[in-house]
Amino acid sequence: MPDVTLDSILDGRRSQPSQIIEVLQDVQEHYGYVPEEAMRAIAGGLGMPLMEVYSVASFYKAFSLTPRGKHVLKVCTGTACHVRGSKMVLNQAVGQLGVEPDEMTEDGLFTIEHVNCLGACALAPVVTENGTTHHHMNPGKLRKLINALGNGETEENSND
């Protein structure tokens, strides 16, 4: 997979293992995930074992080792969201999209993730879509959001 973009990401950082997080962030931003081929190139470029690159990439939830959909729906399952019904919200997403958490729909539009906390407990239950927070979520609101996103609508022009 080494290409001009990966070379440019590594440019100025070669043989600097301390740059691992920044390099992984740039790779994730460019590809949408961290491919195995990119981890191999990063290991070689930064002068560190592949296992160390994999350890960092797999440790942090911010990095995905598999392709993700255009719309990444993160469902908070922390305590405040849990007691306010996040399990039903997660079940709605799984049922409507037909994929389990950390899987991508066949059309490449959606990935569902569940996270331990999004830091918005007063707004529970919370779902984020590519960083946009949707608060006081329930199965019906999530169904409408998924339909709107699937139809290419944004939050501003959907009928929530």
Side-chain angles (χ1 to χ4, degrees), residues 19-98:
Q19 293 290 308
I20 182 68
I21 299 287
E22 291 83 358
V23 169
L24 287 169
Q25 287 173 326
D26 289 348
V27 167
Q28 172 99 6
E29 184 176 330
H30 177 72
Y31 295 103
Y33 73 111
V34 181
E36 181 180 343
E37 298 83 15
M39 285 191 279
R40 291 183 188 285
I42 292 167
L46 297 181
M48 57 194 301
L50 176 59
M51 188 62 201
E52 282 187 41
V53 175
Y54 174 79
S55 293
V56 173
S58 63
F59 177 79
Y60 292 102
K61 187 80 170 157
F63 300 122
S64 175
L65 303 183
T66 57
R68 298 190 300 178
K70 177 180 177 184
H71 304 285
V72 178
L73 299 172
K74 293 184 181 185
V75 179
C76 181
T77 57
T79 303
C81 289
H82 174 75
V83 299
R84 293 184 180 154
S86 66
K87 178 105 171 124
M88 292 186 303
V89 172
L90 182 60
N91 289 342
Q92 173 64 39
V94 168
Q96 184 173 354
L97 296 173

Side-chain angles (χ1 to χ4, degrees), residues 45 49 51 55 67 70 77 80 83 93 107 115 141 145 147 160:
M51 188 62 201
S55 293
K70 177 180 177 184
T77 57
V83 299
D107 60 9
V115 296
K141 284 175 68 175
L145 175 64
N147 288 338
D160 278 69

